[in-house]
Amino acid sequence: MRVRVCCPAKVNLHLEVHGRRPDGYHELRTLMATVGLWDTLEIRPASPGVLDLTIEPVEALPPEGENLVVRAARLLLRRFALKAGASINLHKSIPVGAGLGGGSSDAAGALVALSRFWGLPAGIDELAPLAATLGSDVPFFLHGGACWAVGRGVDLIPAPDLPSWWLVLDPGSEMMATTQVYDRLGSAPLGEVPPKRPLASWLDAAGDEWLSRCCNDLYTAAVAVSPDVAKRLDALRATAPLLAQLSGSGGTVFGVFPDEGSARRARVRLSGEELTVVPLLGRAASRPWPALLEE
Ligand code: C5P
């Protein structure tokens, strides 16, 4: 028996930072949305106690530390006091260290797929606290679609599906360390934190008018770490997208276009091998649905 799950990337369409919290994290108001660029996890049986992970292609290996997928597996085993094993293959298409949430999405996919594989009674409510201990972006990927993430980023307000826009993603060629970018913000203390309530109606603005309010407060810090971000964003702006933005702490910049044709035409005008054209995903298409495959 095998279980396979597809793990989408995300972009941050909007990201406000409101100072550093007492726990050391920054207080966020961010609109995250899943996009059609996927990693794939496949899980096969292994002897109890064995957690074995292979990553393809090998150059997609994160630089240091235990992979979030293995940490997700260990958390589940501990939470459910289980002695089981799994042999996990992770096929990566989402660039690593690019602000696209690939590692976080893999971790969320692993929680859902391993729960299925091991027959655990774990729904989204049981998995969300485990996801939050793995990283600030991980709980978002249990929901998929578009969500507001507030506080540290683990407090989620699901948003309705966005229009069927297409994006050009330019991940750049440098890996960006999230911590390095956040550290550049300095330690401005937590100011007056805006209420969450207006977020629910933010997207109600007529048509796509709300796009003109979108910004990313990490932009200046990201450019200080990698000036190339500004150059790539300027190039995207010149293709007249609905919105051109930095995703998360970078280095991916993206342009939003009304349809696939206009996104592909913009892609042709831009240089760089790493650029991809992807659709925004609705919630149903992007939640991690593990598929059970018989050998
Ligand atoms: O939660 P996660 O481990 O993914 O966060 C990675 C780093 O990003 C943190 O160590 C911190 O430097 C920064 N971060 C932050 N405030 C947040 C989320 C992340 O400062 N709300």
Side-chain angles (χ1 to χ4, degrees), residues 64-71 74:
E64 62 203 29
E66 191 174 44
N67 190 284
L68 276 180
V69 166
V70 175
R71 286 181 47 205
R74 287 195 206 290

Side-chain angles (χ1 to χ4, degrees), residues 4-268:
R4 184 186 297 152
V5 72
C6 295
C7 313
K10 62 85 182 161
V11 293
N12 300 77
L13 292 166
H14 176 70
L15 195 159
E16 294 167 37
V17 183
H18 295 279
R20 201 186 275 269
R21 299 149 42 109
D23 62 6
Y25 286 91
H26 290 82
E27 178 73 20
L28 305 181
R29 298 282 180 275
T30 180
L31 178 62
M32 309 221 267
T34 40
V35 297
L37 173 64
W38 308 88
D39 288 345
T40 310
L41 273 172
E42 200 163 294
I43 300 164
R44 293 167 190 270
S47 312
V50 173
L51 286 175
D52 161 53
L53 175 71
T54 52
I55 303 180
E56 297 166 12
V58 277
E59 59 274 19
L61 231 73
E64 62 203 29
E66 191 174 44
N67 190 284
L68 276 180
V69 166
V70 175
R71 286 181 47 205
R74 287 195 206 290
L75 263 182
L76 269 181
L77 291 174
R78 213 174 312 134
R79 160 73 179 75
F80 290 93
L82 190 71
K83 187 152 170 60
S87 175
I88 308 170
N89 178 266
L90 170 60
H91 189 276
K92 287 216 64 85
S93 298
I94 306 173
V96 176
L100 292 170
S104 302
S105 186
D106 300 341
L111 287 175
V112 174
L114 286 165
S115 299
R116 176 85 198 264
F117 186 75
W118 287 329
L120 302 173
I124 200 163
D125 291 343
E126 288 78 24
L127 295 181
L130 300 183
T133 68
L134 292 168
S136 304
D137 286 350
V138 181
F140 162 71
F141 287 102
L142 295 175
H143 291 267
C147 286
W148 285 99
V150 305
R152 191 193 131 201
V154 302
D155 194 357
L156 297 167
I157 307 171
D161 283 350
L162 299 172
S164 14
W165 289 328
W166 281 68
L167 283 75
V168 177
L169 304 179
D170 180 357
S173 50
E174 260 177 73
M175 284 218 298
M176 302 265 289
T178 308
T179 309
Q180 216 188 337
V181 175
Y182 272 100
D183 283 351
R184 288 251 171 187
L185 291 177
S187 49
L190 200 56
E192 182 81 12
V193 174
K196 295 180 212 167
R197 194 193 297 266
L199 296 178
S201 56
W202 218 77
L203 301 171
D204 294 342
D208 51 18
E209 196 208 304
W210 59 268
L211 281 175
S212 63
R213 292 196 235 164
C214 290
C215 65
N216 184 333
D217 287 346
L218 293 174
Y219 177 74
T220 309
V223 172
V225 172
S226 169
D228 180 55
V229 164
K231 274 195 235 153
R232 289 185 288 109
L233 192 61
D234 284 347
L236 259 172
R237 283 209 177 104
T239 65
L242 300 172
L243 169 73
Q245 190 77 279
L246 172 76
S247 184
S249 56
T252 298
V253 293
F254 62 91
V256 177
F257 295 86
D259 50 51
E260 182 178 4
S262 51
R264 294 208 179 277
R265 282 191 294 280
R267 165 70 188 91
V268 171

